[in-house]
Amino acid sequence: MLRSLLALSLVLLLGACAQFHRPLAAADRAKVREVDVRVVVAQENFMFSAQAPGVAEATGGGLLGALIDSSVQQARQKEMSAEVGAIVGPLLDYDYRVEAGLALGELLNTPNAFPLKIASSQVLAGMPPKAEQNARIAATKTGPAYLVLLLQYVLEPDLSAFTTRTTALLWQDGNKEPSYRSATIFQTPVGGGTRATVVRRLAANDGRQLKAVMRDSIRQTLHVVGLDLIGAPSGAIRTARFNVNGTWFTLGGQGFDNQPGGVVFRDQDNAMYSVRSAAP
């Protein structure tokens, strides 16, 4: 019964992506020569997706953290915070923004790593104030397009997987409305053993594995968004094991990239997934 409710909830939540996705039209794509990239990571440390009750699951709540804003979920997080916080405390010192900045730097220094020319890049702790944001959008009339990635990251409750969920928005030509919108979900397994074992492994050698996972997540997210921006065609159906709040499912969709150690696909609602088979 629980698995049925989880599956139903997954379908309901991802259905929202169908209305959200707006591909870049061919005419707009032809006009984009370069982009300013801003990655917005508002959270200070890990957010944990607490297991939600069956009622919330059946009505579409409690599955994907990027789409959840319920008091039930918040209450569950408070209930588990003491237990989980005590276990994962060693991981809270690692800053996703720092690793995202390093990954962006590598991207800028790697030829053809992103399909569009990147004029500038920056990691922010929040969206700019309204006046500044409006001025930046207006500047696209004569300057580079403006690509913003709103990113949330999480360790699944059983610590078996690290997940990021990203909303991408592109403004160009001074238009107030974005010409492109998308949702991208990245996940890599990090589990194997007890919670304490996983934490020790992630934190070992000054967090080498955790930092690598963080950097990989932003690289893969940008890679997927870049492919979508240039209109990469869909191909054969691809599937992957995906963890939702500690429960593993098989998800799939039309693949649009081939790379070792991972699967990239669009689901039926145009949500994009980059799912690793193992942590880097």
Side-chain angles (χ1 to χ4, degrees):
M1 180 62 177
L2 177 59
R3 290 185 62 86
S4 298
L5 289 172
L6 286 168
L8 172 61
S9 176
L10 186 63
V11 170
L12 290 172
L13 283 169
L14 293 182
C17 296
Q19 299 175 353
F20 184 81
H21 185 260
R22 179 180 180 178
L24 192 62
D28 290 328
R29 186 181 307 124
K31 291 184 287 185
V32 176
R33 294 288 180 263
E34 56 182 353
V35 294
D36 289 325
V37 178
R38 300 293 181 264
V39 179
V40 178
V41 184
Q43 68 195 79
E44 297 298 328
N45 50 45
F46 285 103
M47 294 171 61
F48 296 90
S49 299
Q51 193 75 19
V55 173
E57 291 163 0
T59 57
L63 260 296
L64 297 179
L67 303 177
I68 294 171
D69 186 21
S70 72
S71 59
V72 174
Q73 184 75 0
Q74 293 169 11
R76 283 291 185 266
Q77 288 189 350
K78 290 179 181 178
E79 290 174 7
M80 70 186 290
S81 62
E83 173 194 355
V84 176
I87 295 173
V88 303
L91 303 183
L92 301 183
D93 292 333
Y94 300 105
D95 192 333
Y96 187 94
R97 294 176 196 144
V98 170
E99 303 310 318
L102 291 172
L104 281 170
E106 295 171 1
L107 185 72
L108 288 171
N109 292 319
T110 304
N112 303 318
F114 193 74
L116 301 174
K117 181 181 178 181
I118 297 178
S120 69
S121 67
Q122 191 176 3
V123 179
L124 305 174
M127 286 294 291
K130 185 176 181 180
E132 182 181 337
Q133 172 75 353
N134 289 342
R136 182 63 195 82
I137 292 171
T140 64
K141 187 172 183 64
T142 57
Y146 180 42
L147 177 64
V148 174
L149 277 66
L150 305 168
L151 184 145
Q152 178 253 333
Y153 63 98
V154 65
L155 279 169
E156 301 303 325
D158 58 353
L159 306 192
S160 60
F162 175 90
T163 309
T164 64
R165 302 174 180 94
T166 303
T167 296
L169 300 163
L170 180 80
W171 287 270
Q172 62 183 129
D173 297 334
N175 295 322
K176 294 182 180 180
E177 290 297 317
S179 56
Y180 171 83
R181 302 185 189 95
S182 69
T184 300
I185 301 167
F186 167 89
Q187 187 175 95
T188 186
V190 295
T194 65
R195 282 180 172 178
T197 299
V198 174
V199 170
R200 283 196 299 271
R201 182 167 61 247
L202 292 175
N205 300 313
D206 191 28
R208 183 174 63 184
Q209 183 179 2
L210 180 59
K211 291 176 179 178
V213 166
M214 289 177 169
R215 289 193 297 271
D216 189 46
S217 69
I218 192 66
R219 282 194 299 262
Q220 287 300 311
T221 296
L222 280 163
H223 177 69
V224 168
V225 170
L227 288 176
D228 197 44
L229 283 169
I230 63 173
S234 297
I237 297 296
R238 304 294 302 275
T239 61
R241 292 182 71 241
F242 188 82
N243 188 298
V244 181
N245 271 353
T247 300
W248 289 94
F249 292 90
T250 297
L251 298 183
Q254 292 186 300
F256 61 100
D257 185 42
N258 294 312
Q259 54 181 274
V263 175
V264 174
F265 61 86
R266 297 184 180 95
D267 72 5
Q268 62 183 359
D269 296 314
N270 288 314
M272 299 181 292
Y273 288 77
S274 176
V275 185
R276 292 295 201 186
S277 55

